[in-house]
């Protein structure tokens, strides 16, 4: 049986230990509980334990959960799945963060769809740092240009960069990838006065969160280590 309280406590302990040599503290980090394929009941359990940020990959699944959990007024929803332009309006209306922008056109749709009654939508640019053909995301070379364009959109708040690192690589190679993302964020920041406030690196998951945090991650996305295997919803 999955024990969410124990699992969540273990993750928070891992975060503290990973930060011990970095000079940062846990308040600097956002833990996003990746709840794709998990029930509303499981999310509610994590919420009652103090977990406020949850990440969803699929719009329709997320909307159902948001309705079932609408009484949780301070819950924060992150969209962390592939971003399709035909779903941009609903995503802009129902999420607090979007991590997966990789096209200016899609960002423009998010901006025009974000209701004026809500604060600007926090967004990250997805970077395909490992240059894998199977993954979405911008190339390193495109980052500054697209970031400048996205930062100029009125209903978006560009926060930083996101990546999903390559699987099945050594620890040294993984650290190198995370270090490259940290350097890229600095480079993008320096490329334009519009980008000097970027403060977010969304990278690191259940298996590699320590390396990500040690190399500068400010958001980590953890699913199975909190909730166990995905359920069939």
């Amino acid at each position: 049986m999955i024990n969410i309280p124990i699992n969540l406590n273990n993750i928070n302990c891992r975060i503290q230990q990973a930060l011990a040599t970095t000079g940062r503290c846990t308040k600097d980090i956002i833990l996003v509980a990746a709840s794709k394929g998990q029930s509303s009941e499981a999310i509610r359990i994590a919420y009652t334990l103090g977990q406020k940020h949850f990440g969803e990959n699929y719009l329709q699944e997320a909307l159902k959960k948001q309705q079932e959990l609408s009484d949780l007024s301070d819950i924060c929803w992150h969209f962390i799945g592939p971003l399709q332009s035909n779903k941009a309006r609903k995503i802009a209306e129902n999420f607090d963060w979007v991590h997966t922008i990789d096209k200016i056109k899609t960002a423009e749709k998010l901006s025009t769809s974000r209701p004026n009654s809500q604060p600007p939508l926090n967004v990250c640019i997805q970077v395909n740092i490992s240059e894998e053909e199977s993954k979405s995301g911008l190339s390193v070379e495109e980052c500054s240009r697209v970031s400048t364009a996205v930062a100029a959109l009125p209903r978006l708040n560009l926060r930083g960069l996101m990546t999903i690192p390559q699987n099945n690589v050594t620890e040294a190679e993984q650290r190198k990838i995370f270090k490259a993302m940290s350097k890229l964020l600095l480079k993008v920041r320096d490329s334009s006065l519009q980008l000097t406030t970027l403060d977010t690196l969304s990278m690191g998951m259940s298996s590699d969160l320590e390396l990500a945090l040690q190399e500068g991650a400010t958001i980590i996305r953890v699913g199975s280590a909190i909730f166990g295997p995905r359920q069939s919803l």
Side-chain angles (χ1 to χ4, degrees), residues 45-108:
I45 290 170
Y47 176 89
T48 62
L49 296 165
Q51 177 62 34
K52 296 298 189 290
H53 294 264
F54 295 87
E56 291 286 332
N57 291 61
Y58 303 121
L59 177 61
Q60 293 307 314
E61 178 186 329
L63 293 177
K64 180 175 183 292
K65 294 175 189 176
Q66 288 172 352
Q67 184 176 13
E68 293 169 349
L69 299 167
S70 59
D71 58 306
L72 308 181
S73 60
D74 60 343
I75 197 169
C76 186
W77 293 102
H78 297 242
F79 189 79
I80 58 175
L83 189 56
Q84 299 173 329
S85 59
N86 64 332
K87 297 180 179 178
R89 182 177 66 83
K90 285 290 187 181
I91 290 171
E93 292 172 347
N94 292 282
F95 285 83
D96 304 288
W97 284 76
V98 174
H99 291 233
T100 49
I101 288 178
D102 62 359
K103 294 181 179 64
I104 295 173
K105 184 178 180 180
T106 310
E108 289 172 342

Short mmCIF file of all heavy atoms in Angstrom, two decimals, residues 45-108:
data_model
loop_
_atom_site.label_atom_id
_atom_site.label_comp_id
_atom_site.label_asym_id
_atom_site.label_seq_id
_atom_site.Cartn_x
_atom_site.Cartn_y
_atom_site.Cartn_z
N ILE A 45 -4.89 14.05 -0.12
CA ILE A 45 -4.07 13.59 1.00
C ILE A 45 -2.77 14.39 1.05
O ILE A 45 -2.35 14.87 2.11
CB ILE A 45 -3.77 12.08 0.87
CG1 ILE A 45 -5.04 11.26 1.12
CG2 ILE A 45 -2.68 11.65 1.86
CD1 ILE A 45 -4.90 9.79 0.77
N ALA A 46 -2.11 14.52 -0.10
CA ALA A 46 -0.86 15.28 -0.15
C ALA A 46 -1.09 16.74 0.24
O ALA A 46 -0.27 17.34 0.96
CB ALA A 46 -0.24 15.19 -1.54
N TYR A 47 -2.21 17.30 -0.19
CA TYR A 47 -2.53 18.69 0.15
C TYR A 47 -2.67 18.87 1.66
O TYR A 47 -2.17 19.86 2.22
CB TYR A 47 -3.81 19.09 -0.57
CG TYR A 47 -4.30 20.48 -0.23
CD1 TYR A 47 -3.87 21.59 -0.95
CD2 TYR A 47 -5.18 20.68 0.84
CE1 TYR A 47 -4.31 22.86 -0.63
CE2 TYR A 47 -5.62 21.95 1.17
CZ TYR A 47 -5.19 23.03 0.44
OH TYR A 47 -5.62 24.29 0.77
N THR A 48 -3.35 17.94 2.31
CA THR A 48 -3.54 18.07 3.76
C THR A 48 -2.23 17.99 4.52
O THR A 48 -2.14 18.43 5.67
CB THR A 48 -4.50 16.99 4.29
OG1 THR A 48 -3.93 15.69 4.06
CG2 THR A 48 -5.86 17.07 3.61
N LEU A 49 -1.19 17.46 3.88
CA LEU A 49 0.13 17.36 4.49
C LEU A 49 1.00 18.59 4.20
O LEU A 49 2.17 18.63 4.56
CB LEU A 49 0.84 16.10 3.98
CG LEU A 49 0.16 14.78 4.37
CD1 LEU A 49 0.72 13.63 3.53
CD2 LEU A 49 0.33 14.50 5.85
N GLY A 50 0.41 19.57 3.52
CA GLY A 50 1.13 20.81 3.26
C GLY A 50 1.62 20.98 1.84
O GLY A 50 2.20 22.02 1.49
N GLN A 51 1.39 19.99 0.97
CA GLN A 51 1.81 20.08 -0.43
C GLN A 51 0.79 20.91 -1.21
O GLN A 51 -0.38 20.58 -1.24
CB GLN A 51 1.93 18.68 -1.04
CG GLN A 51 2.30 18.65 -2.51
CD GLN A 51 3.67 19.27 -2.79
OE1 GLN A 51 4.57 19.15 -1.97
NE2 GLN A 51 3.81 19.92 -3.91
N LYS A 52 1.24 22.01 -1.81
CA LYS A 52 0.31 22.92 -2.48
C LYS A 52 0.46 22.93 -4.00
O LYS A 52 -0.45 23.35 -4.71
CB LYS A 52 0.51 24.34 -1.95
CG LYS A 52 0.18 24.52 -0.47
CD LYS A 52 -1.27 24.23 -0.18
CE LYS A 52 -1.68 24.60 1.24
NZ LYS A 52 -1.09 23.72 2.25
N HIS A 53 1.60 22.50 -4.53
CA HIS A 53 1.84 22.57 -5.97
C HIS A 53 1.69 21.18 -6.60
O HIS A 53 2.32 20.22 -6.16
CB HIS A 53 3.25 23.09 -6.24
CG HIS A 53 3.46 24.51 -5.81
ND1 HIS A 53 3.35 25.58 -6.67
CD2 HIS A 53 3.76 25.04 -4.58
CE1 HIS A 53 3.58 26.70 -6.01
NE2 HIS A 53 3.83 26.40 -4.75
N PHE A 54 0.86 21.11 -7.65
CA PHE A 54 0.60 19.83 -8.33
C PHE A 54 0.73 20.03 -9.83
O PHE A 54 0.31 21.05 -10.38
CB PHE A 54 -0.79 19.31 -7.97
CG PHE A 54 -0.92 18.96 -6.51
CD1 PHE A 54 -1.29 19.93 -5.58
CD2 PHE A 54 -0.63 17.68 -6.07
CE1 PHE A 54 -1.38 19.60 -4.23
CE2 PHE A 54 -0.72 17.35 -4.72
CZ PHE A 54 -1.09 18.32 -3.80
N GLY A 55 1.33 19.03 -10.49
CA GLY A 55 1.58 19.11 -11.92
C GLY A 55 0.78 18.09 -12.70
O GLY A 55 0.76 16.90 -12.35
N GLU A 56 0.13 18.53 -13.76
CA GLU A 56 -0.69 17.67 -14.59
C GLU A 56 -0.21 17.73 -16.05
O GLU A 56 0.22 18.78 -16.52
CB GLU A 56 -2.16 18.07 -14.51
CG GLU A 56 -2.80 17.78 -13.16
CD GLU A 56 -3.08 16.30 -12.94
OE1 GLU A 56 -3.29 15.57 -13.93
OE2 GLU A 56 -3.10 15.87 -11.76
N ASN A 57 -0.34 16.60 -16.75
CA ASN A 57 0.11 16.50 -18.14
C ASN A 57 -1.02 16.57 -19.16
O ASN A 57 -0.78 16.97 -20.30
CB ASN A 57 0.84 15.17 -18.35
CG ASN A 57 2.16 15.12 -17.64
OD1 ASN A 57 2.24 15.22 -16.42
ND2 ASN A 57 3.24 14.94 -18.41
N TYR A 58 -2.22 16.17 -18.75
CA TYR A 58 -3.33 16.05 -19.70
C TYR A 58 -4.48 16.95 -19.27
O TYR A 58 -4.95 16.87 -18.12
CB TYR A 58 -3.80 14.61 -19.80
CG TYR A 58 -2.70 13.65 -20.20
CD1 TYR A 58 -2.35 12.59 -19.39
CD2 TYR A 58 -2.00 13.84 -21.40
CE1 TYR A 58 -1.33 11.71 -19.74
CE2 TYR A 58 -0.98 12.97 -21.77
CZ TYR A 58 -0.64 11.91 -20.93
OH TYR A 58 0.37 11.07 -21.30
N LEU A 59 -4.95 17.78 -20.18
CA LEU A 59 -5.92 18.81 -19.84
C LEU A 59 -7.22 18.24 -19.30
O LEU A 59 -7.69 18.67 -18.24
CB LEU A 59 -6.19 19.69 -21.07
CG LEU A 59 -7.25 20.77 -20.87
CD1 LEU A 59 -6.84 21.75 -19.78
CD2 LEU A 59 -7.51 21.50 -22.19
N GLN A 60 -7.84 17.30 -20.00
CA GLN A 60 -9.15 16.81 -19.57
C GLN A 60 -9.07 16.12 -18.21
O GLN A 60 -9.95 16.30 -17.36
CB GLN A 60 -9.73 15.86 -20.63
CG GLN A 60 -10.07 16.54 -21.94
CD GLN A 60 -10.97 17.76 -21.76
OE1 GLN A 60 -11.95 17.72 -21.02
NE2 GLN A 60 -10.63 18.86 -22.42
N GLU A 61 -8.02 15.34 -18.00
CA GLU A 61 -7.83 14.71 -16.69
C GLU A 61 -7.67 15.76 -15.61
O GLU A 61 -8.25 15.66 -14.52
CB GLU A 61 -6.59 13.81 -16.73
CG GLU A 61 -6.28 13.12 -15.40
CD GLU A 61 -4.96 12.37 -15.44
OE1 GLU A 61 -4.58 11.87 -16.53
OE2 GLU A 61 -4.31 12.27 -14.38
N ALA A 62 -6.92 16.80 -15.91
CA ALA A 62 -6.68 17.86 -14.93
C ALA A 62 -7.96 18.63 -14.60
O ALA A 62 -8.23 18.93 -13.43
CB ALA A 62 -5.61 18.81 -15.44
N LEU A 63 -8.75 18.95 -15.61
CA LEU A 63 -9.97 19.72 -15.38
C LEU A 63 -10.94 18.97 -14.46
O LEU A 63 -11.60 19.57 -13.61
CB LEU A 63 -10.66 20.05 -16.71
CG LEU A 63 -9.91 21.02 -17.63
CD1 LEU A 63 -10.67 21.19 -18.94
CD2 LEU A 63 -9.69 22.36 -16.96
N LYS A 64 -11.01 17.67 -14.64
CA LYS A 64 -11.88 16.85 -13.78
C LYS A 64 -11.40 16.92 -12.33
O LYS A 64 -12.20 17.11 -11.40
CB LYS A 64 -11.88 15.40 -14.27
CG LYS A 64 -12.75 14.45 -13.46
CD LYS A 64 -12.77 13.08 -14.12
CE LYS A 64 -13.69 12.12 -13.38
NZ LYS A 64 -13.17 11.77 -12.03
N LYS A 65 -10.11 16.80 -12.13
CA LYS A 65 -9.57 16.87 -10.76
C LYS A 65 -9.76 18.27 -10.17
O LYS A 65 -10.07 18.41 -8.98
CB LYS A 65 -8.09 16.50 -10.77
CG LYS A 65 -7.81 15.07 -11.15
CD LYS A 65 -6.30 14.84 -11.24
CE LYS A 65 -5.97 13.50 -11.84
NZ LYS A 65 -4.52 13.31 -12.01
N GLN A 66 -9.54 19.28 -10.98
CA GLN A 66 -9.70 20.64 -10.47
C GLN A 66 -11.13 20.89 -10.00
O GLN A 66 -11.35 21.55 -8.98
CB GLN A 66 -9.31 21.64 -11.56
CG GLN A 66 -7.81 21.69 -11.82
CD GLN A 66 -7.44 22.53 -13.02
OE1 GLN A 66 -8.30 22.97 -13.78
NE2 GLN A 66 -6.15 22.75 -13.21
N GLN A 67 -12.09 20.34 -10.72
CA GLN A 67 -13.48 20.48 -10.29
C GLN A 67 -13.72 19.73 -8.98
O GLN A 67 -14.38 20.26 -8.07
CB GLN A 67 -14.42 19.94 -11.38
CG GLN A 67 -15.89 20.14 -11.07
CD GLN A 67 -16.78 19.70 -12.21
OE1 GLN A 67 -16.34 19.04 -13.15
NE2 GLN A 67 -18.04 20.07 -12.16
N GLU A 68 -13.18 18.53 -8.87
CA GLU A 68 -13.37 17.73 -7.66
C GLU A 68 -12.65 18.32 -6.45
O GLU A 68 -13.03 18.05 -5.30
CB GLU A 68 -12.88 16.30 -7.92
CG GLU A 68 -13.74 15.55 -8.93
CD GLU A 68 -13.10 14.24 -9.40
OE1 GLU A 68 -11.90 14.00 -9.11
OE2 GLU A 68 -13.81 13.45 -10.06
N LEU A 69 -11.65 19.13 -6.70
CA LEU A 69 -10.85 19.71 -5.62
C LEU A 69 -11.03 21.22 -5.52
O LEU A 69 -10.18 21.93 -4.97
CB LEU A 69 -9.37 19.38 -5.83
CG LEU A 69 -9.02 17.89 -5.84
CD1 LEU A 69 -7.61 17.66 -6.39
CD2 LEU A 69 -9.14 17.30 -4.43
N SER A 70 -12.14 21.72 -6.03
CA SER A 70 -12.35 23.16 -6.11
C SER A 70 -12.45 23.83 -4.75
O SER A 70 -12.32 25.05 -4.64
CB SER A 70 -13.61 23.47 -6.92
OG SER A 70 -14.75 22.86 -6.31
N ASP A 71 -12.65 23.05 -3.70
CA ASP A 71 -12.72 23.63 -2.35
C ASP A 71 -11.34 23.97 -1.80
O ASP A 71 -11.23 24.67 -0.79
CB ASP A 71 -13.41 22.66 -1.39
CG ASP A 71 -12.72 21.30 -1.32
OD1 ASP A 71 -12.52 20.69 -2.40
OD2 ASP A 71 -12.38 20.86 -0.21
N LEU A 72 -10.27 23.51 -2.46
CA LEU A 72 -8.91 23.79 -2.01
C LEU A 72 -8.45 25.09 -2.67
O LEU A 72 -7.82 25.10 -3.73
CB LEU A 72 -7.98 22.63 -2.38
CG LEU A 72 -8.45 21.23 -1.92
CD1 LEU A 72 -7.43 20.17 -2.33
CD2 LEU A 72 -8.72 21.20 -0.43
N SER A 73 -8.75 26.20 -2.02
CA SER A 73 -8.62 27.50 -2.66
C SER A 73 -7.19 27.91 -2.98
O SER A 73 -6.95 28.68 -3.92
CB SER A 73 -9.28 28.58 -1.79
OG SER A 73 -8.65 28.62 -0.51
N ASP A 74 -6.23 27.44 -2.21
CA ASP A 74 -4.85 27.88 -2.43
C ASP A 74 -3.99 26.82 -3.13
O ASP A 74 -2.76 26.92 -3.13
CB ASP A 74 -4.18 28.31 -1.12
CG ASP A 74 -4.13 27.18 -0.09
OD1 ASP A 74 -4.87 26.17 -0.25
OD2 ASP A 74 -3.35 27.29 0.87
N ILE A 75 -4.63 25.83 -3.71
CA ILE A 75 -3.88 24.84 -4.49
C ILE A 75 -3.32 25.52 -5.74
O ILE A 75 -3.95 26.42 -6.31
CB ILE A 75 -4.76 23.63 -4.84
CG1 ILE A 75 -3.91 22.43 -5.27
CG2 ILE A 75 -5.79 23.99 -5.90
CD1 ILE A 75 -4.72 21.12 -5.37
N CYS A 76 -2.14 25.11 -6.17
CA CYS A 76 -1.47 25.73 -7.32
C CYS A 76 -1.25 24.66 -8.39
O CYS A 76 -0.56 23.67 -8.15
CB CYS A 76 -0.13 26.34 -6.87
SG CYS A 76 0.71 27.29 -8.16
N TRP A 77 -1.81 24.90 -9.57
CA TRP A 77 -1.77 23.91 -10.64
C TRP A 77 -0.73 24.28 -11.69
O TRP A 77 -0.72 25.39 -12.22
CB TRP A 77 -3.15 23.80 -11.31
CG TRP A 77 -4.21 23.24 -10.42
CD1 TRP A 77 -5.19 23.93 -9.76
CD2 TRP A 77 -4.41 21.86 -10.09
NE1 TRP A 77 -5.98 23.08 -9.03
CE2 TRP A 77 -5.52 21.79 -9.22
CE3 TRP A 77 -3.76 20.68 -10.43
CZ2 TRP A 77 -6.00 20.59 -8.70
CZ3 TRP A 77 -4.24 19.47 -9.92
CH2 TRP A 77 -5.34 19.44 -9.07
N HIS A 78 0.14 23.32 -12.00
CA HIS A 78 1.18 23.47 -13.00
C HIS A 78 0.86 22.56 -14.19
O HIS A 78 0.63 21.36 -13.99
CB HIS A 78 2.55 23.04 -12.44
CG HIS A 78 3.04 23.88 -11.30
ND1 HIS A 78 4.21 24.62 -11.38
CD2 HIS A 78 2.54 24.10 -10.05
CE1 HIS A 78 4.41 25.24 -10.23
NE2 HIS A 78 3.41 24.94 -9.41
N PHE A 79 0.89 23.10 -15.39
CA PHE A 79 0.75 22.26 -16.57
C PHE A 79 2.16 21.88 -17.02
O PHE A 79 2.96 22.75 -17.38
CB PHE A 79 0.01 22.97 -17.70
CG PHE A 79 -0.33 22.05 -18.84
CD1 PHE A 79 -1.42 21.19 -18.75
CD2 PHE A 79 0.47 21.99 -19.97
CE1 PHE A 79 -1.72 20.31 -19.78
CE2 PHE A 79 0.18 21.11 -21.00
CZ PHE A 79 -0.91 20.27 -20.90
N ILE A 80 2.45 20.58 -17.02
CA ILE A 80 3.81 20.11 -17.30
C ILE A 80 3.85 19.13 -18.48
O ILE A 80 4.87 18.49 -18.72
CB ILE A 80 4.44 19.47 -16.05
CG1 ILE A 80 3.61 18.29 -15.53
CG2 ILE A 80 4.63 20.50 -14.95
CD1 ILE A 80 4.25 17.54 -14.36
N GLY A 81 2.75 19.04 -19.22
CA GLY A 81 2.69 18.13 -20.36
C GLY A 81 2.89 18.84 -21.68
O GLY A 81 3.07 20.07 -21.73
N PRO A 82 2.88 18.10 -22.77
CA PRO A 82 3.01 18.70 -24.11
C PRO A 82 1.92 19.74 -24.34
O PRO A 82 0.75 19.51 -24.01
CB PRO A 82 2.85 17.51 -25.05
CG PRO A 82 3.21 16.31 -24.23
CD PRO A 82 2.77 16.62 -22.84
N LEU A 83 2.29 20.87 -24.89
CA LEU A 83 1.39 22.00 -25.02
C LEU A 83 0.85 22.08 -26.45
O LEU A 83 1.59 22.35 -27.39
CB LEU A 83 2.14 23.28 -24.67
CG LEU A 83 1.35 24.57 -24.53
CD1 LEU A 83 0.23 24.41 -23.50
CD2 LEU A 83 2.28 25.70 -24.12
N GLN A 84 -0.44 21.82 -26.61
CA GLN A 84 -1.09 21.87 -27.91
C GLN A 84 -1.87 23.18 -28.03
O GLN A 84 -2.60 23.57 -27.12
CB GLN A 84 -2.02 20.68 -28.09
CG GLN A 84 -1.30 19.34 -28.03
CD GLN A 84 -2.27 18.16 -28.04
OE1 GLN A 84 -3.37 18.26 -27.53
NE2 GLN A 84 -1.83 17.05 -28.62
N SER A 85 -1.71 23.85 -29.16
CA SER A 85 -2.29 25.18 -29.31
C SER A 85 -3.81 25.17 -29.20
O SER A 85 -4.41 26.14 -28.73
CB SER A 85 -1.85 25.81 -30.63
OG SER A 85 -2.27 25.00 -31.73
N ASN A 86 -4.46 24.07 -29.62
CA ASN A 86 -5.92 24.03 -29.55
C ASN A 86 -6.44 23.88 -28.13
O ASN A 86 -7.65 24.00 -27.89
CB ASN A 86 -6.47 22.90 -30.44
CG ASN A 86 -6.04 21.52 -29.97
OD1 ASN A 86 -4.98 21.36 -29.36
ND2 ASN A 86 -6.84 20.51 -30.26
N LYS A 87 -5.55 23.64 -27.17
CA LYS A 87 -5.94 23.54 -25.76
C LYS A 87 -5.42 24.73 -24.95
O LYS A 87 -5.60 24.77 -23.73
CB LYS A 87 -5.43 22.23 -25.17
CG LYS A 87 -6.05 21.01 -25.85
CD LYS A 87 -5.54 19.71 -25.27
CE LYS A 87 -6.20 18.52 -25.97
NZ LYS A 87 -5.70 17.22 -25.48
N ALA A 88 -4.82 25.69 -25.64
CA ALA A 88 -4.18 26.81 -24.94
C ALA A 88 -5.19 27.63 -24.13
O ALA A 88 -4.88 28.08 -23.02
CB ALA A 88 -3.45 27.69 -25.93
N ARG A 89 -6.38 27.84 -24.67
CA ARG A 89 -7.36 28.67 -23.95
C ARG A 89 -7.73 28.07 -22.61
O ARG A 89 -7.70 28.75 -21.57
CB ARG A 89 -8.62 28.88 -24.80
CG ARG A 89 -9.66 29.78 -24.12
CD ARG A 89 -10.86 30.02 -25.02
NE ARG A 89 -11.62 28.81 -25.26
CZ ARG A 89 -12.54 28.31 -24.44
NH1 ARG A 89 -12.82 28.92 -23.29
NH2 ARG A 89 -13.20 27.21 -24.74
N LYS A 90 -8.06 26.78 -22.60
CA LYS A 90 -8.45 26.13 -21.34
C LYS A 90 -7.29 26.06 -20.36
O LYS A 90 -7.47 26.20 -19.15
CB LYS A 90 -8.98 24.73 -21.63
CG LYS A 90 -10.37 24.69 -22.23
CD LYS A 90 -11.42 25.09 -21.21
CE LYS A 90 -12.82 24.91 -21.75
NZ LYS A 90 -13.84 25.33 -20.75
N ILE A 91 -6.09 25.86 -20.88
CA ILE A 91 -4.92 25.82 -20.01
C ILE A 91 -4.69 27.20 -19.39
O ILE A 91 -4.44 27.34 -18.19
CB ILE A 91 -3.69 25.34 -20.79
CG1 ILE A 91 -3.84 23.85 -21.13
CG2 ILE A 91 -2.40 25.58 -20.00
CD1 ILE A 91 -2.79 23.32 -22.08
N ALA A 92 -4.80 28.24 -20.21
CA ALA A 92 -4.60 29.60 -19.70
C ALA A 92 -5.62 29.97 -18.64
O ALA A 92 -5.32 30.73 -17.71
CB ALA A 92 -4.66 30.60 -20.86
N GLU A 93 -6.82 29.44 -18.77
CA GLU A 93 -7.89 29.78 -17.83
C GLU A 93 -7.80 29.00 -16.52
O GLU A 93 -8.32 29.45 -15.49
CB GLU A 93 -9.25 29.49 -18.47
CG GLU A 93 -9.60 30.41 -19.62
CD GLU A 93 -10.85 29.97 -20.36
OE1 GLU A 93 -11.33 28.82 -20.15
OE2 GLU A 93 -11.37 30.78 -21.16
N ASN A 94 -7.14 27.83 -16.53
CA ASN A 94 -7.27 26.91 -15.39
C ASN A 94 -5.97 26.54 -14.70
O ASN A 94 -6.00 25.75 -13.75
CB ASN A 94 -7.98 25.64 -15.86
CG ASN A 94 -9.43 25.88 -16.21
OD1 ASN A 94 -10.28 25.99 -15.34
ND2 ASN A 94 -9.72 25.98 -17.50
N PHE A 95 -4.85 27.09 -15.13
CA PHE A 95 -3.58 26.76 -14.51
C PHE A 95 -2.88 28.03 -14.01
O PHE A 95 -3.16 29.14 -14.48
CB PHE A 95 -2.67 26.01 -15.48
CG PHE A 95 -3.09 24.58 -15.69
CD1 PHE A 95 -4.09 24.26 -16.59
CD2 PHE A 95 -2.49 23.56 -14.96
CE1 PHE A 95 -4.50 22.93 -16.78
CE2 PHE A 95 -2.89 22.24 -15.14
CZ PHE A 95 -3.89 21.92 -16.03
N ASP A 96 -1.97 27.83 -13.07
CA ASP A 96 -1.16 28.93 -12.51
C ASP A 96 0.22 29.01 -13.16
O ASP A 96 0.83 30.07 -13.19
CB ASP A 96 -1.00 28.73 -11.00
CG ASP A 96 -2.34 28.62 -10.29
OD1 ASP A 96 -3.02 29.64 -10.17
OD2 ASP A 96 -2.71 27.50 -9.88
N TRP A 97 0.70 27.85 -13.63
CA TRP A 97 2.00 27.76 -14.29
C TRP A 97 1.87 26.89 -15.54
O TRP A 97 1.11 25.92 -15.55
CB TRP A 97 3.03 27.07 -13.38
CG TRP A 97 3.60 27.87 -12.26
CD1 TRP A 97 2.99 28.19 -11.07
CD2 TRP A 97 4.93 28.39 -12.18
NE1 TRP A 97 3.85 28.89 -10.26
CE2 TRP A 97 5.06 29.03 -10.92
CE3 TRP A 97 6.02 28.39 -13.04
CZ2 TRP A 97 6.24 29.65 -10.50
CZ3 TRP A 97 7.20 29.02 -12.64
CH2 TRP A 97 7.30 29.64 -11.39
N VAL A 98 2.67 27.21 -16.55
CA VAL A 98 2.87 26.34 -17.71
C VAL A 98 4.37 26.21 -17.93
O VAL A 98 5.07 27.22 -18.08
CB VAL A 98 2.20 26.90 -18.99
CG1 VAL A 98 2.56 26.05 -20.19
CG2 VAL A 98 0.68 26.95 -18.81
N HIS A 99 4.87 24.97 -17.95
CA HIS A 99 6.31 24.72 -18.00
C HIS A 99 6.82 24.41 -19.41
O HIS A 99 8.03 24.28 -19.59
CB HIS A 99 6.67 23.52 -17.12
CG HIS A 99 6.53 23.76 -15.65
ND1 HIS A 99 7.55 23.52 -14.76
CD2 HIS A 99 5.50 24.21 -14.91
CE1 HIS A 99 7.15 23.81 -13.53
NE2 HIS A 99 5.89 24.24 -13.61
N THR A 100 5.94 24.29 -20.38
CA THR A 100 6.33 23.60 -21.61
C THR A 100 6.16 24.44 -22.88
O THR A 100 5.87 23.92 -23.95
CB THR A 100 5.52 22.29 -21.74
OG1 THR A 100 4.11 22.57 -21.52
CG2 THR A 100 5.97 21.27 -20.72
N ILE A 101 6.39 25.74 -22.78
CA ILE A 101 6.31 26.58 -23.98
C ILE A 101 7.54 26.33 -24.86
O ILE A 101 8.68 26.42 -24.40
CB ILE A 101 6.23 28.07 -23.60
CG1 ILE A 101 4.84 28.37 -23.01
CG2 ILE A 101 6.53 28.96 -24.80
CD1 ILE A 101 4.67 29.80 -22.57
N ASP A 102 7.28 26.02 -26.12
CA ASP A 102 8.40 25.86 -27.07
C ASP A 102 8.10 26.50 -28.42
O ASP A 102 8.84 26.32 -29.37
CB ASP A 102 8.78 24.39 -27.25
CG ASP A 102 7.67 23.54 -27.83
OD1 ASP A 102 6.57 24.09 -28.08
OD2 ASP A 102 7.89 22.34 -28.06
N LYS A 103 7.00 27.29 -28.47
CA LYS A 103 6.66 28.01 -29.69
C LYS A 103 6.08 29.37 -29.32
O LYS A 103 5.25 29.47 -28.41
CB LYS A 103 5.63 27.23 -30.53
CG LYS A 103 6.13 25.92 -31.11
CD LYS A 103 5.05 25.25 -31.94
CE LYS A 103 5.54 23.94 -32.55
NZ LYS A 103 5.85 22.94 -31.52
N ILE A 104 6.49 30.40 -30.05
CA ILE A 104 5.96 31.74 -29.79
C ILE A 104 4.46 31.78 -30.06
O ILE A 104 3.70 32.41 -29.30
CB ILE A 104 6.70 32.78 -30.66
CG1 ILE A 104 8.18 32.85 -30.26
CG2 ILE A 104 6.05 34.15 -30.53
CD1 ILE A 104 9.03 33.71 -31.16
N LYS A 105 4.01 31.11 -31.12
CA LYS A 105 2.60 31.12 -31.47
C LYS A 105 1.73 30.58 -30.33
O LYS A 105 0.68 31.13 -30.02
CB LYS A 105 2.37 30.30 -32.74
CG LYS A 105 0.94 30.32 -33.25
CD LYS A 105 0.80 29.53 -34.54
CE LYS A 105 -0.63 29.55 -35.05
NZ LYS A 105 -0.78 28.77 -36.32
N THR A 106 2.17 29.50 -29.70
CA THR A 106 1.41 28.93 -28.59
C THR A 106 1.42 29.88 -27.40
O THR A 106 0.41 30.05 -26.71
CB THR A 106 1.99 27.57 -28.18
OG1 THR A 106 2.13 26.75 -29.34
CG2 THR A 106 1.09 26.87 -27.18
N ALA A 107 2.56 30.51 -27.15
CA ALA A 107 2.65 31.48 -26.06
C ALA A 107 1.69 32.64 -26.30
O ALA A 107 1.03 33.14 -25.36
CB ALA A 107 4.08 31.99 -25.93
N GLU A 108 1.58 33.08 -27.53
CA GLU A 108 0.65 34.17 -27.87
C GLU A 108 -0.79 33.76 -27.57
O GLU A 108 -1.58 34.57 -27.06
CB GLU A 108 0.81 34.55 -29.33
CG GLU A 108 2.13 35.26 -29.64
CD GLU A 108 2.37 35.46 -31.12
OE1 GLU A 108 1.72 34.76 -31.94
OE2 GLU A 108 3.22 36.29 -31.47
#
